[in-house]
Every structure is written in C-alpha cells, then in structure tokens.
C-alpha cells in the first residue's frame, strides 16, 4: 500500500532561513509526497526547486529502487534545510544575548517574541518530519541486504533530526530566558524609580508638617524661635531621613 507523507516539506525550495532587516524569517510552501514501493508522487502548492537541489547533490543508496532513492534523498535534503534553520536561529539568539541590558531598543521584546514564534513553528515542523522518518525507518528496520543499508541511513537521519529538535528546544529556552531577563530588568528599574519617588515624598513631608504647624509667620508666637533655627531643624531631619533610607539600601 502506498504511504502518504504529508507536510514532509514546508517550502518548495526546501526550508531555509533568510536573515533580513535583522530578523529571521522562514518561507514555507505546502508539499505532499505519496510514496509506494515503486512509485513516488509529489504535489506542491507553489514553484519548487527542491528536486533540482536533490539531483545536484546526487541520489543516495544506488542499490535501492528509484522511488526509494528519491524519497531518501529528499529526506537528506530536508535535514540539511533544518540544520540551516537551526544555525540561523542560534545566530540570531546569540546576537540578542550580546546586547547590553538597559541599552536595548524598544523593538527588542518584539524581536524576541517573533523569534520565539519562528522557533516554535520550526519545532512543530521538525517534530512532524521526525515522526515521518521514524515511521519509514521502522518499516525498514530488521531487513537484510540493501534494505539494511537503507535502515541504517534512515537511522542516521533520525538521529540528526532528533539532535536538531533538541537544539531548537534549547534555543527556545534561551529566548524565553532572555525575554524574562529583559522584563525583570525593566521591572527592577521601575522599582528603583518608585523607591526614589517614595523617598522624595517622605522627605517632603518634614517641611510640609513643620510649615503647617508653625504657620506662615513667626512673629507674636508663644515661643522664641528664628527662621534659621527652623531651617536647621528641617534640613537636619531631612538629612537624617536620607541617611536612614541609604542604610536601608533604597538609594544604592
């Protein structure tokens, strides 16, 4: 019975990452492969140069039937495409990690979220690709002769796909950590501003309270006090308050 391999590819030219305008974008093109023991049928939603690339690299496993050689060569090509995507996403993540904290642009979080979305899409497609290779590998596993060589070849492709999947998982975790670090840094800076405002508000209460108690004029008051003494008391209390806040670490 023919085996249908749906969404084996995600674009006609093969999956590739284009780094333009500082961002990583992955172009996609729906692709359907129907494979049987002696025939292979492919349907693509757009123009595709995939088979030109496959033929330029050469078909693998010359002892296998032609349809199998074509399918295995396509799978090999797809592993290389996913490897290119993984490398591009790793480079972009590394470039974002190198940006100093506090000096990032306003579009930093947007770039991180877009990158995370691209990684998630690549992970889903790679997961599906891995399931396809695993299904074909299980059909060939335990065979003898040339079929055993094909099983070994598919096993290698499956291991590479698994490695790329785990690598993308690590890249995704790095992007998530980068987003959390940036948000926490912004929150910390905001907390510092709020602490400074709290200190200013607390210190401003001292002259406000003393001025309210004494009124606007010191003439004819029942106690002997000069304006200079009032200023001295106010500034002394404010300096004492500043020292108390400094000891608590609010001004560091």
């Amino acid at each position: 019975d023919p085996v249908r391999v749906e969404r084996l590819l995600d674009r006609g030219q093969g999956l590739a990452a284009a780094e333009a305008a500082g961002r990583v974008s992955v172009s996609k093109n729906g692709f359907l492969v129907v494979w049987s023991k002696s025939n292979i049928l492919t349907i693509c939603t757009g123009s595709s140069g995939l088979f030109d690339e496959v033929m330029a690299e050469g078909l693998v496993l010359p002892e296998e039937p032609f349809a199998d050689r074509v399918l295995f060569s396509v799978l090999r090509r797809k592993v290389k495409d996913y490897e290119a995507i993984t490398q591009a996403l790793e480079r972009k993540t590394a470039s974002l990690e190198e940006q100093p904290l506090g000096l990032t642009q306003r579009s930093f979080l947007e770039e991180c979220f877009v990158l995370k979305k691209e990684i998630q899409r690549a992970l889903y497609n790679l997961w599906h690709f891995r399931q396809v290779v695993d299904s074909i590998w299980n059909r060939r596993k335990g065979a003898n002769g040339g079929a055993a060589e094909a099983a070994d070849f598919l096993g290698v492709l499956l291991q590479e796909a698994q490695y790329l999947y785990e690598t993308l998982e690590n890249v995704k975790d790095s992007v998530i950590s980068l987003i959390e670090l940036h948000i926490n840094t912004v929150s910390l800076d905001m907390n510092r501003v709020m602490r400074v405002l709290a200190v200013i508000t607390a210190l401003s209460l001292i002259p406000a309270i003393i001025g309210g108690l004494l009124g606007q004029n010191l003439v004819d008051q029942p106690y002997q006090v000069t304006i200079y003494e009032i200023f001295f008391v106010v500034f002394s209390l404010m300096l004492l308050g500043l020292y108390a806040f400094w000891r608590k670490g609010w001004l560091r």
Side-chain angles (χ1 to χ4, degrees), residues 119-134:
I119 294 174
Q120 187 61 48
R121 289 177 180 175
L123 279 172
Y124 171 73
N125 292 326
L126 188 54
W127 176 86
H128 181 84
F129 175 81
R130 189 181 57 178
Q131 295 299 110
V132 169
V133 177
D134 182 66

Side-chain angles (χ1 to χ4, degrees), residues 18-242:
E19 298 178 69
R23 295 187 178 183
V24 177
S25 61
V26 181
S27 59
K28 301 175 179 65
N29 193 1
F31 206 95
L32 172 67
V33 177
V34 180
W35 167 63
S36 65
K37 293 182 179 180
S38 58
N39 298 291
I40 184 169
L41 173 66
T42 61
I43 302 175
C44 184
T45 58
S47 60
S48 173
L50 172 65
F51 288 102
D52 294 335
E53 298 175 0
V54 170
M55 296 306 296
E57 294 177 352
L59 299 181
V60 298
L61 304 177
E63 294 82 7
E64 292 291 320
F66 178 75
D68 294 359
R69 296 178 62 195
V70 172
L71 178 63
F72 297 159
S73 300
V74 169
L75 294 177
R76 181 186 62 177
R77 177 67 255 173
K78 297 319 302 168
V79 169
K80 293 182 179 180
D81 289 337
Y82 281 116
E83 183 178 356
I85 289 179
T86 303
Q87 292 176 354
L89 294 174
E90 281 184 314
R91 287 195 299 268
K92 181 59 179 178
T93 303
S95 65
L96 292 177
E97 290 176 343
E98 291 176 356
Q99 297 187 22
L101 292 176
L103 299 179
T104 55
Q105 300 179 354
R106 294 184 177 180
S107 60
F108 180 82
L109 281 180
E110 180 184 356
E111 291 183 15
C112 289
F113 280 112
V114 171
L115 180 62
K116 178 178 174 293
K117 182 173 64 175
E118 290 293 346
I119 294 174
Q120 187 61 48
R121 289 177 180 175
L123 279 172
Y124 171 73
N125 292 326
L126 188 54
W127 176 86
H128 181 84
F129 175 81
R130 189 181 57 178
Q131 295 299 110
V132 169
V133 177
D134 182 66
S135 177
I136 301 174
W137 176 65
N138 287 328
R139 290 174 177 266
R140 291 301 185 100
K141 190 167 53 175
N144 298 320
E149 184 181 357
D152 294 339
F153 176 79
L154 292 172
V156 173
L157 292 183
L158 184 60
Q159 293 177 0
E160 292 180 357
Q162 178 66 27
Y163 171 76
L164 293 175
Y165 185 86
E166 294 175 355
T167 302
L168 276 181
E169 283 280 6
N170 295 333
V171 174
K172 178 184 175 182
D173 293 340
S174 299
V175 174
I176 293 176
S177 300
L178 192 60
I179 293 174
E180 293 177 351
L181 175 62
H182 185 79
I183 293 177
N184 292 336
T185 301
V186 173
S187 300
L188 180 61
D189 293 339
M190 183 61 66
N191 290 336
R192 290 176 178 173
V193 173
M194 296 303 297
R195 285 202 301 265
V196 173
L197 292 178
V199 170
I200 295 175
T201 302
L203 294 179
S204 63
L205 289 176
I206 298 175
I209 293 175
I210 295 178
L213 292 176
L214 296 178
Q216 299 179 354
N217 202 336
L218 297 177
V219 180
D220 299 330
Q221 295 293 337
Y223 39 80
Q224 298 295 325
V225 62
T226 64
I227 189 65
Y228 301 105
E229 294 173 339
I230 296 298
F231 279 132
F232 176 77
V233 172
V234 170
F235 282 115
S236 297
L237 292 177
M238 293 182 69
L239 290 175
L240 183 62
L242 282 174

